[in-house]
Amino acid sequence: MKLCVIGTGYVGLVTGACFSDLGYHVVCVDIDEEKLSVLARGDVPFYEPGLSDILRRNVREKRLRFSSNTMESVQEAETVFICVGTPEGPSGEADLRYVLGVAGEIGKSLNGYKVIVVKSTVPVGTNEKVRRTIAKEAPDADFDVVSNPEFLREGAAVKDFQNPDRIVVGARTERARASMARLYKSLTRATRPLMLTTPENAEVIKYASNAMLAARISFVNELSHLCEAVGADIKEVAKGMGLDDRIGVRFLSAGAGYGGSCFPKDVRALAQTMEQHGTASNFLRAIDYINERQKRSLVPKLKKLLPELDGRRIAIWGLSFKPRTSDVRNSAALTVAMQLQDEYADVVVFDPEAMDEARKVLPQVTYARDAYAALDGADALIVCTEWDEFRVPDFERMKRLMRGAIVVDGRNILDPGEVRALGFQYVGIGR
Ligand code: UGA
């Protein structure tokens, strides 16, 4: 089977590279020629464990190529994936201009039966819009549009592609269902089923899954305030809750809030969709509100111990929105750094992978060469991302380097008792 993947962003590139690794012939299409030449050399423009090996191997073995010619690439393929972005519009809605633009181009290119797979995260009803857009360009063409939302996580994308919890396919015809089942055959097991359903269900499943995970995070973050007020520890509380099989421990870590390109945008887009359909959701709005407040809660915690930040040197460990990625979109660290700058603090940052990305949006801070260099002369440290290398730091070295002895642990990765015993003032989240 020959595949065409349109859009070489995160989802497109992982999809294209991993399908080629399963033996399919894949062409990845993008309008950005410069990016295509980087990819054709086998270089991945962002940090994602394992992806560049897969890319190089399949480029070398000629199963994976890159092109800017949409028409030719669509015509050669049996299955075409739409993997372009759905950025946030002015009212929080998903902006469908790229998805529908690509649909129009596909319509102009159709030369025989094809399955058009929408992988971009799109609001319910978009599958039908894509179908109509294609049909308008090609009224007599034979094609199916399928909804196949992506559930992979940044930092674990390759693993998630190869071992999905589930594959959701929303299709209307038997022909499209059979084609998708064949495509995913080698990834489907009894324990990780291919769920066949309608396009509307598939579209709602995607947003509902992200909103549910975001809800869990906002729930523990909300409870963390109670824990602080009464001397309880949210980590223990979450552990105790999670021991109930029905609840489970995952996605119950309180911290500086969720970030990234998905949760914040998807929660707001689902809220917007619900408003559009006359079913406005206070619940979804609250998830978002709690998260935004949480991201802004670290600097006030610091100020309780260090009220005047003007001229103080504050170190930040971690810039990415989570470990094992270079992505800084909507990361708590950016919010923290900007708040500190508003208070005229001198901000020094370190991240193992995300400094190049951060420089583009945060030019005014000092970028340290390693975690300890960031601490040199610092009055306080704020941990914003739970990279493994921050979990067991050399506290003696930290004390020698820092001018002050304040640690704000925005991810609850340090042991408060141990840190305090070493002479630091420690403040975490909900503990
Ligand atoms: C998320 C979903 O987990 C994927 O299934 C989905 O495919 C993806 O969005 C998407 O829609 O594209 P991702 O954004 O890569 O994946 O990140 P997650 O690993 O889910 O983490 C999101 C944020 O939640 C991070 O900032 C993380 O630090 C935070 N988080 C996570 C917490 O604050 N507490 C937790 O317990 C778990």
Side-chain angles (χ1 to χ4, degrees), residues 361-384:
V361 284
L362 199 65
Q364 312 285 25
V365 303
T366 306
Y367 287 84
R369 95 186 153 268
D370 62 44
Y372 294 95
L375 299 180
D376 200 4
D379 294 289
L381 163 66
I382 305 184
V383 180
C384 286

Side-chain angles (χ1 to χ4, degrees), residues 151-152 154 206 210 251-253 258-259 262-263 321-322:
F151 299 105
L152 50 83
E154 289 189 19
K206 169 64 197 182
N210 274 1
F251 279 77
L252 284 184
S253 299
Y258 57 77
C262 305
F263 285 0
F321 78 96
K322 66 173 187 178

Side-chain angles (χ1 to χ4, degrees), residues 19-41:
F19 269 125
S20 68
D21 213 39
L22 293 179
Y24 297 112
H25 284 266
V26 181
V27 54
C28 288
V29 179
D30 206 292
I31 44 171
D32 185 342
E33 301 266 2
E34 204 180 306
K35 190 170 176 193
L36 291 176
S37 61
V38 169
L39 293 169
R41 286 201 303 270

